[in-house]
Amino acid sequence: MIETEHKLRIDLAAAFRMAAHFDLNEGICNHFSVVLPGAEARYLINPYGVHWSEMMPDDLLLLDADGKVIKGSGEVEATARNIHVAGHRANPRHVCILHTHMPFATSLTMIEKGRLEMAHQTATRFYGRTAYEEEFGGLALDASEGERIAQGSAERGDADIVFLANHGVMVGGPSVAVAFDDLYFLERACRQQVYAMSTGKALKIIPEAECRETARQWMQVLDFQAQEHFKALKRIVTRDLGT
């Protein structure tokens, strides 16, 4: 259990540093979390006030099922606690949940009926895996907004990516590596779309049959690619994390 927690701390701290490296963070806001294995609900999450580029494994806070800090120094932001505790509880298959206001994905949440369109190979990775929260509910400063987001996401079945209206995105996955890989490529797909839309010309949408088949191909290699990508990035950003 100690070794497992140590590894998850290293992976999650690395994910924060990677996100900062690719400009996916917003100041000291936004939050990532991961579930520790075991019978009792325990979550690692970032403390408020630590910049993502300087995140260390020991900086991460350990929360109990109610979002109370039981290990670590610092405080968890209210929105982080409310969104992540509710999110993990509502969808247990999401071992890791990443929430950002990353620029290009967030820009699609600011457009009326904004959607990630199947207009590029990278976008097809998310075919059938996205959901859209249509109403903005303000800051998740109380548990009810976190529950609203979590329940809305859980009701969408296979969705691993949720676009939150006028807000940002939530990405959930079975591991830190897979969730971060999705986060990285989601922003790339959204950037490609925003660039294409900026031409003022209509997007060339991939036919549904091809989308479905390409998505199937993505799923065959997703875990392997994610693990290898994560290891490569971790070598770059975690040389001082004691690995």
Side-chain angles (χ1 to χ4, degrees):
M1 179 63 184
I2 294 174
E3 291 180 355
T4 300
E5 179 178 337
H6 178 64
K7 182 182 183 303
L8 287 174
R9 284 179 176 275
I10 291 173
D11 284 352
L12 196 60
F16 282 111
R17 290 184 169 221
M18 294 172 195
H21 178 79
F22 292 112
D23 196 28
L24 306 182
N25 63 313
E26 188 168 67
I28 55 172
C29 300
N30 302 168
H31 14 84
F32 293 175
S33 64
V34 66
V35 180
L36 293 187
E40 293 184 288
R42 295 288 186 267
Y43 316 109
L44 291 174
I45 198 166
N46 51 307
Y48 188 67
V50 177
H51 196 272
W52 291 15
S53 65
E54 63 179 357
M55 194 70 68
M56 297 291 284
D58 289 343
D59 290 327
L60 299 169
L61 303 178
L62 183 63
L63 307 184
D64 66 12
D66 297 318
K68 179 182 177 181
V69 177
I70 57 176
K71 184 178 180 181
S73 177
E75 62 178 290
V76 59
E77 185 189 17
T79 61
R81 179 180 59 251
N82 294 330
I83 289 174
H84 288 262
V85 171
H88 286 298
R89 186 183 299 131
N91 198 336
R93 70 188 179 87
H94 287 162
V95 173
C96 180
I97 294 178
L98 312 179
H99 171 57
T100 74
H101 300 168
M102 53 192 189
F104 291 96
T106 298
S107 70
L108 296 185
T109 75
M110 300 162 59
I111 300 171
E112 188 67 38
K113 299 299 181 182
R115 295 290 187 270
L116 175 62
E117 303 291 353
M118 297 295 107
H120 187 269
Q121 173 179 289
T122 303
T124 63
R125 171 190 177 112
F126 304 104
Y127 177 81
R129 301 175 59 214
T130 56
Y132 299 86
E133 189 67 46
E134 302 290 359
E135 302 295 331
F136 177 61
L139 298 177
L141 294 177
D142 57 63
S144 62
E145 178 60 10
E147 292 289 348
R148 185 186 75 84
I149 293 172
Q151 289 305 318
S153 301
E155 290 169 3
R156 291 170 174 84
D158 294 333
D160 295 317
I161 291 87
V162 182
F163 287 81
L164 305 173
N166 310 104
H167 185 173
V169 294
M170 299 279 291
V171 175
S175 67
V176 176
V178 170
F180 187 84
D181 204 54
D182 271 342
L183 188 78
Y184 173 90
F185 281 106
L186 178 65
E187 180 70 347
R188 303 283 289 198
C190 293
R191 185 176 71 176
Q192 291 158 344
Q193 179 175 323
V194 170
Y195 282 166
M197 291 168 62
S198 71
T199 67
K201 297 183 179 181
L203 294 174
K204 183 178 176 65
I205 304 300
I206 300 171
E208 185 170 354
E210 281 70 24
C211 283
R212 189 181 305 111
E213 173 59 17
T214 310
R216 185 192 66 79
Q217 293 172 329
W218 272 117
M219 291 304 101
Q220 289 181 322
V221 301
L222 183 63
D223 185 72
F224 176 77
Q225 175 188 287
Q227 298 297 336
E228 293 303 306
H229 186 204
F230 194 77
K231 285 190 290 186
L233 292 176
K234 193 158 69 168
R235 287 194 294 270
I236 297 171
V237 302
T238 63
R239 292 188 178 113
D240 62 341
L241 295 188
T243 53

